[in-house]
Amino acid sequence: ARLREADPKIPKTMVLKERPTPRETHVHKRGDFLNLGVKVEPATPAALHPLGAARPTRLDFARWLADPANPLTPRVVANRYWQYLFGRGLVETEDDFGLQGSRPTHPELLDWLACEFTSPGDFSTKRFLRLIVTSSVYRQSSRRRPELEERDPRNEWLGRQNRLRVDAEIIRDVSLAASGLLTRELGGPSVMPPQPEGVYAFTQDPKPWKAEVGANRYRRGLYTFFWRSLPYPMLTTFDAPNANVSCTRRIRSNTPLQALPLANDIVFVECAEALARRALGAADQLFRIALARQPSPDERDRLLKLVEQQRQAFTREPELARQVVRGEPPAGVAPAELAAWTAVARVLINLDEFITRE
């Protein structure tokens, strides 16, 4: 309250007001606003249901879009959520439901989903997503089915789940969650997590970037501050979209550059060290935390061999072990031991399986 009282009193100016008599609007011939063509009125395409207002305004149009009787809006929304959860929409051209777009692979399912989205009248995204993720089709294994390889190579019949690399922000989130560092607080201003030094040396105007400390350092990727001229580098490496334009579908690339932040970025190095502390000395637990499954005997053997190899290397170079370990190791644990398990945790964070929704 004291801060609000100290705010400067800025005068307010009305910028929009409804006119008592609407301004006439004409078609501009060849785009020339001085060459007026036929007079036009606010309306929607005749093929769709009418606006239902004598003098329709933008507010009427917004209500028309969200009207449960509008068959298009809920179908587009339902298709977008399906695309997010399965990697491809029931209508593959998610930004074009017109004549030039793709036909739905499952038209009855799309109609049913649209009705479910609007049926209680609340347009609840949480309820709708819960409906899909608890369905049997979503909970299928993503393992390939040999009997469908030739009959349905693109999995349009939904005979299995699709294997997807998670979005850029979630890659950081799963690393923080596995390490136990994730700050689960919701809402609030954007934050500046650590990033490589000298990033803004290549921009026209160097930007201030003071890395957070404490809980804000480990907030979800959703809250990362974005500079328009140079977004957070790790997010762009993993295909986060340009914030200047709308993005209806993210493109997932697979490049060698993506291995570098997972191995060397300070965020993921800190996550690996914290993950090692969580499961110090327990290879199976470390594996379960990172990949949500038990290791196979071969995987366990390879992990333990790597631990021993790293333990010997860090024992020979104690100063290097000290550089890897943040703060003091747990009581009774040598820095070389924690550094060895940190190296193993870095390997698990670098696995394709770690950043992939199976």
Side-chain angles (χ1 to χ4, degrees):
R2 289 194 301 270
L3 285 173
R4 291 195 182 96
E5 290 175 1
D7 284 344
K9 303 300 185 244
I10 301 175
K12 297 180 179 179
T13 302
M14 182 178 293
V15 294
L16 287 176
K17 182 179 180 181
E18 186 176 358
R19 297 164 58 97
T21 303
R23 181 185 290 110
E24 287 191 357
T25 303
H26 295 261
V27 172
H28 297 162
K29 294 182 179 180
R30 301 184 65 83
D32 182 0
F33 69 94
L34 296 177
N35 189 4
L36 301 182
V38 63
K39 180 181 176 182
V40 292
E41 300 286 345
T44 53
L48 303 176
H49 65 287
L51 278 171
R55 287 174 49 189
T57 64
R58 294 188 179 191
L59 180 58
D60 294 315
F61 180 60
R63 289 170 175 159
W64 178 87
L65 282 175
D67 190 335
N70 185 345
L72 183 61
T73 302
R75 287 160 65 91
V76 171
V77 173
N79 190 66
R80 294 281 177 91
Y81 287 133
W82 187 275
Q83 171 187 272
Y84 180 76
L85 294 170
F86 288 86
R88 184 174 61 245
L90 297 171
V91 177
E92 191 165 1
T93 53
E94 80 294 332
D95 55 352
D96 188 351
F97 271 53
L99 293 176
Q100 297 185 22
S102 302
R103 297 181 64 86
T105 55
H106 299 70
E108 296 86 355
L109 174 59
L110 182 59
D111 287 344
W112 182 82
L113 289 171
C115 291
E116 285 295 311
F117 183 59
T118 59
S119 58
D122 60 352
F123 292 81
S124 171
T125 299
K126 183 178 289 187
R127 177 185 54 79
F128 185 70
L129 291 176
R130 184 184 294 116
L131 171 71
I132 297 179
V133 299
T134 56
S135 67
S136 58
V137 66
Y138 180 84
R139 292 182 293 167
Q140 294 180 107
S141 168
S142 59
R143 292 183 178 276
R144 288 192 168 273
R145 295 176 56 183
E147 69 273 20
L148 294 179
E149 287 291 336
E150 292 187 7
R151 298 171 60 194
D152 185 24
R154 300 188 70 226
N155 192 35
E156 293 184 350
W157 298 346
L158 305 173
R160 56 175 173 81
Q161 181 55 275
N162 292 316
R163 194 171 183 272
L164 302 174
R165 195 206 72 205
V166 298
D167 290 336
E169 297 87 344
I170 301 178
I171 289 176
R172 184 171 174 275
D173 294 351
V174 296
S175 302
L176 292 170
S179 67
L181 295 174
L182 180 65
T183 299
R184 299 182 181 273
E185 178 187 354
L186 299 180
S190 299
V191 295
M192 295 183 177
Q195 64 177 347
E197 292 289 339
V199 167
Y200 292 115
F202 301 97
T203 60
Q204 193 173 30
D205 180 23
K207 305 293 191 297
W209 190 276
K210 185 177 180 180
E212 305 283 353
V213 295
N216 279 344
R217 189 179 183 91
Y218 306 116
R219 298 208 69 190
R220 293 173 56 198
L222 172 71
Y223 299 107
T224 300
F225 193 92
F226 249 61
W227 285 110
R228 178 185 57 81
S229 59
L230 187 62
Y232 192 64
M234 173 262 156
L235 297 182
T236 56
T237 301
F238 285 98
D239 311 308
N242 188 332
N244 296 335
V245 295
S246 298
C247 175
T248 59
R249 177 173 54 184
R250 294 195 183 191
I251 304 301
R252 291 178 173 88
S253 67
N254 186 6
T255 70
L257 282 177
Q258 293 168 352
L260 298 178
L262 291 177
N264 303 315
D265 192 295
I266 185 173
V267 172
F268 295 97
V269 172
E270 289 182 5
C271 287
E273 200 258 3
L275 175 57
R277 287 176 182 265
R278 287 189 68 186
L280 191 61
D284 283 17
Q285 183 181 358
L286 182 67
F287 201 92
R288 285 198 305 271
I289 293 173
L291 303 180
R293 66 177 178 87
Q294 290 280 9
S296 67
D298 181 56
E299 289 169 331
R300 184 184 298 106
D301 291 343
R302 296 175 71 178
L303 272 184
L304 293 176
K305 288 179 181 177
L306 179 59
V307 171
E308 182 58 29
Q309 179 190 47
Q310 294 296 313
R311 183 185 293 127
Q312 294 176 12
F314 284 117
T315 301
R316 289 192 300 267
E317 299 187 52
E319 286 303 317
L320 183 57
R322 278 290 180 185
Q323 294 176 22
V324 173
V325 174
R326 296 183 309 131
E328 289 299 318
V333 177
E337 183 71 10
L338 180 55
W341 284 94
T342 300
V344 175
R346 290 178 71 187
V347 170
L348 292 178
I349 288 177
N350 266 271
L351 293 178
D352 173 73
E353 187 177 348
F354 183 79
I355 60 173
T356 301
R357 197 287 311 271
E358 297 285 352

